[in-house]
């Protein structure tokens, strides 16, 4: 062959250009041998004097070449085309050593040119699938992944999916897609997706079918909303009324679970029976009068008509002539003289009582300067009043000390409060606040202040202490008298405000405030009810307060009247939870009231105890706020690395517990928490991880996402729900991680976390996790617990409680502070202004803006021209 090539090069074909290298117009391409059919390889070059094939480094025999000559019409250069055939035996001869390849070599007078290599392979497709899809039963709207790994083959098999023998086309169905690994994914299972699924693999050799996998999509039943209560079964007396619901929202299908719980609820009802009135007995006849008549009477009182009963018919008075005897005539004027004497005696008594009252009032007011009663201080600013030398005409001004008894009372109450009516909780009204200086007031006890250990030791002797948490991290306590004060549990948003005069004068109570972990207290929930707040205790229970205390705590509800029914629950002394207040409805008692704001609720209560906020969704549009928090280990000694995603109720107390837990586990916070609105749609929460650099990391999660059941989140009774994503780094030197974590409800908006951090770097917990408003002592006693100075507060109360001209009173102050929706509650209390100021203190301590409050009070004062004139003069 070499001699032949040399001869060819020495004798070039006529017409060939001596200055051009061969250029291939056609090069051999990869081919597959199917069964025993030989394949053909071809190449074409110009200008070329000779072309030969070289296969696996050896020249193909000249006799195996089929050569064809032609001329390129555009250039006039000679064109040579050569073909050879390759058989299965030739390929199998070197099978296992290396792949079989061939290449063309073309010559011209200027040199040689080689074509690309063409590989010749024997095509095949094995019969058995490496992995086949399996039958499954899934809930509706749950994701489905059907794996399929086709048989080994050359060329690699293409995969398509059949649903009930019909081709599945992802381009026509957005709910379906096929992964690069050939798995079929249904994003949300539908009833129409119940079918037999088959994976089909095919190449140029054969077509293989996997075993069919039956997918059954079932629907768990859900309750419809309750019907309205039926009418009472009796029109008079005790009866029953009921309401019902059906398991049709949705109806269980394909073996789905039936609804749990009752479909009918019954409750007792009482209809007042009408009572017809009846006459009492006739009275005795009166003495015969001057007109020679006497009379007798009767009343419609046995019984009195009520509940729509009929009135008595007939006369109430009966008169008749008494001329059967001689009529006695009374001397004129005798009765008038007796009447006048009686009236004079009554008038004298009233004058004496008035004089006594004036003397008592003057003695009580003797210690106050005339300026103290002046209302001009309303616009003079809110700077604390300091103790100053007394005036000559009134040496006792601002020097009156608190009325503290030498006998110290520590309340040792029982768990059950006395079952007195609300009226017995109201003490006689006098001055709401006594005149006190704005300096510090020290409580004079008969013994030194109790330390924490002594306080807990005393509590341990009480029966209610068994249900309180141990330790001081979620507990605050203090000793209080009539000056009031405040308890706070740091970093939880939970506080208890005891306003001035809430504790009777002469008494001292030891009060505690505790936050319960949800596993410590059993709070039964029914139907669609959910816990919206922490469970908080303040006590001791049974303490009688003369003014409502204000308990502040966070909540996680997006409240709206049409979506929620929210109730305040209180645990009774028997341990059962009772509804004491329904928010938005007319309160059935004056002992409790609740103001719900965007992030917190403020509970007015005259009885201490254990409280929680519970909601029941009225529609699927109701939503709760979840706080999504990411933690990861601060150090990674192994190749595995875990990222924990917590789904918490959006309250500060739960976040505090998780941070403490992660500090013990050695975790570090990744980024700032995010808020997700979780709807009452029966859909689960899903979490997935994406966009990891595949060359550095891989996920060990088998499924495409993780899922937290709906009811685990919605009940609110499982505080630390989380998912863990286990990752594996491919090299111990990898320290950087960048990825995204998606969190979404099946039907709803999602949240994306972009994660970028260095594993080797020690990240501390951010300072913003400790709100500025929570920094300080857990217990504050007396004036230091309030923003408004004591005397200023008293002046505002005395000036705005009485009705003012043109509405310049407490009602206008409530309007200025956007509290006018609570006017009926404020009006039910002895001092509405005190209730408004107490609520302002609870909402704005310790960072409240006193200037804004002063401006609001000044605007109220300007409505009264006389008050405004005095204010301007003093300013």
């Amino acid at each position: 062959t070499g001699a032949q090539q040399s001869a060819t090069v020495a004798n070039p074909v006529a017409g060939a250009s001596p200055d051009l290298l061969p250029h291939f117009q056609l090069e051999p391409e990869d081919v597959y041998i199917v069964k025993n059919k030989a394949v053909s390889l071809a190449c074409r070059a110009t200008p070329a004097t000779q072309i030969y094939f070289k296969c696996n480094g050896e020249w193909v025999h000249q006799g195996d070449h089929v050569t064809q000559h032609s001329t390129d019409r555009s250039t006039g250069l000679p064109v040579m085309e050569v073909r050879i055939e390759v058989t299965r035996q030739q390929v199998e001869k070197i099978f296992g050593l290396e792949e079989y390849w061939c290449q063309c070599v073309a010559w011209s007078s200027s040199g040689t040119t080689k074509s690309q290599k063409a590989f010749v392979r024997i095509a095949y497709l094995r019969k058995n699938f490496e992995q086949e899809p399996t039958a499954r039963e899934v809930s509706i709207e749950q994701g489905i992944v059907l794996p399929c790994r086709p048989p080994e083959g050359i060329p690699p098999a293409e995969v398509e999916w059949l649903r009930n023998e019909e081709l599945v086309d992802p381009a026509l169905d957005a709910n379906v897609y096929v992964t690069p690994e050939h798995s079929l994914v249904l994003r949300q299972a539908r009833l129409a997706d119940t079918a037999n699924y088959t994976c089909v693999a095919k190449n140029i050799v054969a077509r293989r079918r996997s075993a069919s996998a039956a997918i059954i999509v079932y629907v768990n039943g859900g309750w419809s909303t309750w019907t309205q209560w039926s009418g009472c079964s009796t029109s008079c007396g005790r009866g029953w009324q009921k309401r019902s619901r059906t398991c049709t929202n949705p109806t269980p299908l394909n073996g789905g679970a039936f609804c749990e719980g009752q479909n009918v609820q019954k409750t007792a009802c009482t209809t007042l029976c009408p009572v017809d009135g009846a006459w009492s007995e006739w009275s005795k006849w009166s003495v015969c009068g001057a007109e020679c008549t006497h009379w007798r009477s009767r009343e419609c009182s046995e019984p009195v008509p009520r509940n729509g009963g009929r009135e008595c018919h007939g006369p109430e008075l009966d008169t008749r002539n008494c001329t059967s005897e001689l009529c006695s005539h009374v001397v004129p004027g005798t009765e008038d003289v007796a009447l006048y004497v009686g009236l004079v005696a009554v008038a004298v008594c009233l004058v004496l009582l008035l004089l006594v009252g004036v003397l008592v009032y003057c003695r009580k007011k003797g210690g106050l300067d005339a300026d103290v009663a002046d209302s001009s201080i309303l616009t003079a600013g809110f700077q604390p009043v300091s103790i100053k030398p007394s005036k000559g005409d009134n040496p006792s001004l601002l020097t009156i000390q608190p009325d503290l008894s030498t006998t110290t009372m520590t309340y040792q109450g029982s768990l059950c409060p006395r079952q007195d009516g609300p009226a017995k909780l109201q003490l006689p009204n006098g001055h709401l606040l006594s005149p006190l200086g704005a300096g510090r007031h020290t409580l004079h006890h008969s013994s030194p202040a109790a330390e924490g250990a002594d306080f807990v030791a005393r509590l341990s002797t009480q029966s209610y202490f068994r249900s309180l948490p141990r330790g001081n991290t979620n507990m605050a306590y203090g000793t209080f008298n009539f000056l009031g004060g405040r308890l706070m549990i740091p970093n939880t948003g939970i506080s208890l405000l005891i306003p001035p005069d809430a504790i009777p004068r002469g008494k001292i109570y030891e009060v505690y405030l505790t936050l319960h972990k949800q596993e410590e207290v059993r709070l039964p929930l029914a139907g669609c009810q959910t816990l919206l707040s922490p469970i908080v205790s303040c006590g001791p229970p049974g303490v009688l307060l003369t003014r409502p205390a204000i308990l502040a705590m966070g909540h996680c509800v997006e409240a709206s009247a049409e979506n929620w029914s929210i109730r305040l629950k209180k645990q009774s002394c028997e341990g059962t939870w009772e509804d004491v207040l329904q928010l938005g409805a007319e309160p059935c008692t004056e002992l409790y009231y609740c103001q719900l704001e965007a992030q917190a609720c403020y509970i007015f209560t005259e009885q201490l105890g254990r409280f929680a906020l519970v909601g029941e969704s009225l529609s699927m549009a109701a939503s709760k706020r979840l706080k999504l928090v990411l933690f990861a280990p601060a150090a990674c000694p192994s190749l595995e690395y875990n990222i924990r995603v917590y789904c918490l109720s959006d309250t500060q107390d739960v976040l505090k517990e998780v941070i403490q837990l992660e500090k013990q586990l050695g975790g570090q916070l990744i980024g700032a928490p995010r808020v997700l609105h979780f709807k009452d749609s029966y859909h689960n929460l899903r979490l997935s991880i994406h966009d990891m650099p595949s060359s550095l990391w891989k996920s060990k999660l088998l499924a495409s996402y993780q899922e937290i059941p709906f009811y685990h989140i919605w009940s609110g009774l499982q505080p630390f729900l989380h998912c863990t994503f286990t990752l594996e780094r491919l090299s111990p030197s990898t320290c950087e991680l960048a990825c995204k974590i998606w969190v979404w409800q099946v039907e709803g908006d999602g949240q994306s976390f972009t994660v970028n951090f260095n594993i080797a770097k020690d990240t501390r917990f951010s300072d913003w996790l400790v709100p500025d408003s929570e920094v300080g002592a857990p217990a504050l006693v007396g004036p230091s617990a309030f923003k408004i100075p004591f005397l200023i507060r008293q002046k505002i109360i005395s000036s705005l409680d009485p009705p003012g001209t043109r509405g310049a009173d407490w009602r206008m102050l409530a309007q200025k502070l956007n509290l006018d929706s609570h006017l009926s509650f404020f009006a039910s209390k002895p001092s509405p202004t005190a209730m408004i100021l107490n609520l302002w203190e609870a909402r704005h301590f310790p960072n409240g803006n006193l200037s804004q409050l002063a401006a609001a009070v000044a605007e109220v004062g300007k409505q009264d021209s006389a008050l405004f004139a005095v204010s301007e003069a003093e300013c």
Side-chain angles (χ1 to χ4, degrees), residues 636 638-643 689 692-701 725-732 734 737 759:
C636 183
S638 65
L639 294 179
E640 284 192 357
Y641 196 71
N642 295 325
I643 297 178
I689 188 167
M692 283 189 308
S694 58
S695 60
L696 301 176
W697 295 87
K698 71 175 182 178
S699 173
K700 302 189 72 175
L701 184 67
F725 290 95
T726 301
L727 311 179
E728 183 178 359
R729 49 182 175 172
L730 303 182
S731 171
T734 301
L737 173 59
I759 299 173

Side-chain angles (χ1 to χ4, degrees), residues 469-788:
R470 303 300 187 263
N472 296 330
T473 58
N474 289 329
M475 187 175 190
Y477 45 84
T479 305
F480 301 91
N481 69 345
F482 75 96
L483 290 174
R486 183 188 306 267
L487 290 175
M488 295 177 291
I489 302 178
N491 303 329
T492 62
I494 298 172
S495 64
L496 178 67
L497 177 74
I498 304 174
D501 275 356
I503 297 176
R505 294 181 177 241
K507 295 186 179 181
I508 296 177
Y509 291 157
E510 288 181 333
V511 182
Y512 64 83
L513 176 66
T514 62
L515 166 64
H516 294 274
K517 295 182 179 180
Q518 293 169 356
E519 61 268 19
E520 297 172 347
V521 179
R522 177 173 177 80
L523 176 62
L525 299 177
C528 299
Q529 289 183 341
T530 174
L531 182 63
L532 301 175
S533 73
I535 301 174
V536 179
S537 290
C538 53
V543 165
L544 296 181
L545 302 176
T546 60
R547 299 287 186 271
I550 301 180
L551 176 63
M553 57 186 178
H555 66 81
C556 61
V557 63
E558 293 294 326
S560 57
E562 65 275 9
N563 295 333
W564 283 99
S565 171
I566 302 176
R567 300 174 186 271
L568 176 65
K569 284 184 175 286
K570 182 175 183 289
Q571 194 173 30
S572 67
C573 56
E574 292 84 7
T576 59
W577 288 87
E578 300 173 346
D579 294 339
V580 295
L581 182 67
Q582 181 175 358
L583 275 64
E586 192 68 25
C588 57
T589 175
E590 296 182 357
L591 296 179
Y592 308 100
Y593 189 78
C594 182
Q595 177 180 339
L596 190 69
E597 297 189 352
Q599 301 289 333
C601 62
Y602 300 91
I603 302 168
F604 292 78
T605 174
E606 296 182 15
Q607 290 185 354
L608 303 183
R610 184 169 298 162
F611 296 92
L613 206 63
V614 173
E616 182 172 2
S617 62
L618 303 179
S619 72
M620 296 179 70
S623 65
K624 293 175 59 176
R625 292 191 315 276
L626 296 185
K627 183 156 286 185
L628 306 175
V629 192
L630 273 67
F631 286 93
C636 183
S638 65
L639 294 179
E640 284 192 357
Y641 196 71
N642 295 325
I643 297 178
R644 292 180 289 276
V645 185
Y646 288 85
C647 304
L648 315 174
S649 297
D650 186 16
T651 55
Q652 292 185 30
D653 59 292
V654 182
L655 180 60
K656 172 187 174 183
E657 292 290 333
V658 170
I659 291 174
Q660 292 176 346
L661 174 64
E662 281 292 333
K663 283 185 177 180
Q664 297 173 0
L665 297 175
Q668 65 178 352
L669 183 69
I670 305 175
R674 310 287 181 86
V675 174
L676 175 70
H677 297 278
F678 189 75
K679 293 185 178 181
D680 181 21
S681 59
Y682 302 101
H683 297 306
N684 300 336
L685 193 70
R686 294 180 178 176
L687 304 94
S688 60
I689 188 167
H690 305 276
D691 298 346
M692 283 189 308
S694 58
S695 60
L696 301 176
W697 295 87
K698 71 175 182 178
S699 173
K700 302 189 72 175
L701 184 67
L702 299 179
S704 59
Y705 57 84
Q706 298 189 67
E707 199 164 37
I708 301 178
F710 168 80
Y711 288 104
H712 290 183
I713 299 176
W714 188 256
S715 68
L717 297 178
Q718 300 187 36
F720 306 140
L721 291 172
H722 70 278
C723 287
T724 300
F725 290 95
T726 301
L727 311 179
E728 183 178 359
R729 49 182 175 172
L730 303 182
S731 171
S733 61
T734 301
C735 291
E736 298 289 339
L737 173 59
C739 61
K740 284 187 178 180
I741 293 179
W742 275 96
V743 184
W744 77 100
Q745 204 173 1
V746 174
E747 286 188 359
D749 297 330
Q751 292 281 345
S752 171
F753 289 83
T754 301
V755 179
N756 280 291
F757 64 100
N758 192 317
I759 299 173
K761 184 178 179 181
D762 182 14
T763 303
R764 297 182 179 179
F765 288 89
S766 302
D767 294 337
W768 59 264
L769 293 173
V770 182
D772 296 336
S773 60
E774 298 294 338
V775 177
L780 297 173
V781 180
S784 63
F786 304 97
K787 290 284 292 181
I788 307 173

Side-chain angles (χ1 to χ4, degrees), residues 306-319:
R306 58 182 182 272
N307 305 330
R310 291 175 295 184
E311 296 284 342
C312 302
H313 293 285
E316 294 180 332
L317 189 68
D318 182 19
T319 61

Side-chain angles (χ1 to χ4, degrees), residues 167-184:
L167 182 65
V168 176
D169 189 356
L172 302 178
D173 190 349
N175 192 47
V176 177
Y177 71 92
V178 178
T179 67
E181 295 79 20
H182 310 299
S183 297
L184 179 67

Side-chain angles (χ1 to χ4, degrees), residues 37 73-74 113 135 239 243 254 269 271 287 306 314 326 335 440 493 508 537 584 672 720 848:
K37 295 180 180 180
R73 294 181 180 179
S74 60
T113 302
R243 63 177 183 175
N254 295 339
C269 59
T271 305
V287 179
R306 58 182 182 272
L326 294 177
E335 294 87 348
R440 294 185 176 273
I508 296 177
S537 290
F720 306 140

